[in-house]
């Protein structure tokens, strides 16, 4: 199954239905892209859940070592990891019952895409969630 980028309407639907974004690979360094993007999403009203085994808090939120440690439902698993780690993250996202696997701009992995789709997740690859959110302007409650 070949990957096709969601339409603007599909992006809008994913974002409107989402409140909780677990950011895998979120850095505590405020100059890193993951930190900047997560901070912007937090300011837009999304609940950010940092997933980084080397930090205790990021952006004022409790950090978790792995997705399986997160105690609430995850709408979007936003991935800031190299492509070769994405299949493992996709498997974790399926295991925890996430709704969407979102690989950030510059990140693609066809195996992760196929696995997540096969298990009913929405999949986004090679797209910045901050940019898409700004473009499609989902209604935030």
């Amino acid at each position: 199954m070949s990957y096709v980028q969601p339409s603007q309407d599909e992006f809008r639907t994913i974002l409107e239905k989402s409140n909780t974004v677990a950011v895998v690979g979120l850095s505590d360094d405020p100059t890193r892209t993951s930190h900047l993007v997560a901070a912007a999403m937090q300011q837009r009203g999304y609940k950010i859940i940092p997933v980084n085994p080397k930090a205790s808090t990021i952006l004022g939120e409790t950090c978790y070592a792995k997705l399986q440690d997160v105690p609430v439902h995850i709408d979007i698993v936003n991935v800031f990891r190299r492509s070769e780690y994405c299949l493992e993250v996709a498997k974790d996202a399926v295991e925890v019952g996430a709704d969407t696997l979102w690989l950030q701009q510059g990140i693609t992995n066809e195996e992760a895409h196929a696995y997540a789709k096969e298990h009913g997740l929405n999949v986004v690859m090679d797209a910045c969630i901050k940019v898409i959110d700004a473009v499609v302007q989902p209604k935030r409650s």
Side-chain angles (χ1 to χ4, degrees), residues 17-129:
K17 290 182 176 182
S18 300
N19 292 307
T20 307
V21 180
V23 184
V24 177
L26 178 54
S27 174
D28 58 358
D29 178 348
T31 66
R32 299 292 303 260
T33 303
S34 64
H35 193 95
L36 296 167
V37 168
M41 297 307 289
Q42 190 178 52
Q43 289 174 350
R44 281 279 291 141
Y46 294 90
K47 169 71 173 164
I48 298 300
I49 301 173
V51 179
N52 180 335
K54 297 178 181 175
S56 59
T57 60
I58 300 175
L59 294 169
E61 301 290 345
T62 300
C63 213
Y64 297 92
K66 56 188 179 183
L67 288 173
Q68 290 87 341
D69 295 336
V70 175
V72 297
H73 175 74
I74 300 167
D75 298 313
I76 298 174
V77 174
N78 186 227
V79 184
F80 282 91
R81 300 280 324 268
R82 292 193 316 250
S83 296
E84 60 263 30
Y85 298 111
C86 291
L87 178 57
E88 179 183 331
V89 175
K91 289 178 180 180
D92 291 346
V94 167
E95 183 180 330
V96 301
D99 301 320
T100 300
L101 176 69
W102 193 304
L103 308 184
Q104 272 297 131
Q105 187 171 352
I107 305 170
T108 62
N109 183 305
E110 286 296 334
E111 287 178 291
H113 161 252
Y115 186 87
K117 281 303 255 189
E118 179 180 309
H119 289 86
L121 275 69
N122 299 308
V123 179
V124 177
M125 296 196 300
D126 192 21
C128 178
I129 193 169

